[in-house]
Amino acid sequence: MAKESENAEVKAIYLDYNATTPLAPEVQESVMTAMKEAWGNPSSSYLPGVKAKKIIAEARSNVAFMIGAKSADIFFTSGGTEGNNWILQTALKYFYEQRQTKKGSSCHSKSGDPPVPHIITTNVEHDSVKCVLKNFEAEGKADVTYVQVSPKSGRVEVEDVISALRPTTVMISIMLANNESGVIQPVAKISERLQKMSNRQRVLLHTDAAQALGKIPVDVSDLGVDFLTIVGHKFYGPRIGAIYVNGPNKDVPVYPMLYGGGQERNFRPGTENTPMIAGLGTAAELVHKNIKEFESNMREVRDYLETQLQEEFGDQICFNGKFACSERLPNTCNVSFTKKGLYGHIILSKAKYLQASVGAACHAQNQPSHILLAMGVPKHLAWNALRLSVGRETTKADIDVVVKDLKEIVASI
């Protein structure tokens, strides 16, 4: 998407849609309408409050439709970090609740100490999962297994995840698609294996779908997950989110992180942010109606980007995360220049038009990506990496400008 920068003579080409997306025009309209007409407290009985309550109900339905869920399975949050924290905290509470109901059957560790919950994840998770689990470990609240992704596929092997199960395993938390490589993880296959295992304890399955939503079809029935995290600003919505719980406290446990006035059925109290919820609902509706078109258009432009890069730079570049045996997000290209010293952050600092990142936007941009290193990418290539992620509006003409920009930068360095 070309847009005017501070210097009116230069048009910036934004290729960092995995970091965040602009609000879709329809979303902006929904937000503004809610601000003007539904400013009342949704718990009140007068007209502005009644309008707010109706908007929230419609948004909940739209978010549910987007992932093939029921409205009752959706809870609104402030964003992905809150959602992931909430779900992981639920796993701990569920473990200890189960122990209390089965006092005679609880096992002890070799040291004789009571067992702690065990959680399985990967070594390429977003910080909103990884940092929570690291904190659990540091405080002695949980044991965590970080299953390594294969350097041959960029994804975890199902057997490695299943092999990591213990009698104390309470949750498996694996992202649906990686934010840097774009590699899609085998969440559905892991669910299938869990379902086929007989005489096992209940293991909850969570996927952070932040990067997948709005780029590929996502259906919770196909995935077979208990929990799923939704992040609005990744699919042209506002910076709030939601979580999916498959039959809250009927089939799947969920516990409140906050306590207050009873909103969100007492699970997430606090007066609802009606305008942002309205925007999230509209963004979800756009995805539900147009996902095939969005996916096809982004894939065409991303593939054109990679073709043009290959033609221009040849063996001077390599693609990270592009595996014949793995599916990728249709919009994501992670590329490294092979010559030492062509650091990604240096290239971006010299770009006239390209706006992108070297990895996750929440990380320092002047160090190699730990995600790429975990995937087995050599350190000098990880230093040189650029994450280029196209959006719905990105054109092939934009790509031509970016490739020319990169050519001039590399020549100058």
Side-chain angles (χ1 to χ4, degrees), residues 181-192:
S181 68
V183 172
I184 298 171
Q185 300 295 331
V187 175
K189 291 184 179 179
I190 292 169
S191 175
E192 289 175 9

Side-chain angles (χ1 to χ4, degrees), residues 396-408:
K396 292 181 180 179
D398 291 336
I399 299 305
D400 291 338
V401 173
V402 166
V403 173
K404 183 180 178 181
D405 197 13
L406 289 173
K407 181 181 179 181
E408 292 176 356

Side-chain angles (χ1 to χ4, degrees), residues 141-155:
K141 293 180 177 178
D143 291 330
V144 183
T145 297
Y146 301 89
V147 179
Q148 295 186 355
V149 296
S150 168
K152 297 180 181 179
S153 66
R155 52 180 167 77

Side-chain angles (χ1 to χ4, degrees), residues 16-35:
D16 206 17
Y17 288 89
N18 282 7
T20 197
T21 58
L23 290 180
E26 298 91 336
V27 172
Q28 294 183 40
E29 184 178 350
S30 292
V31 171
M32 293 303 298
T33 298
M35 285 181 170

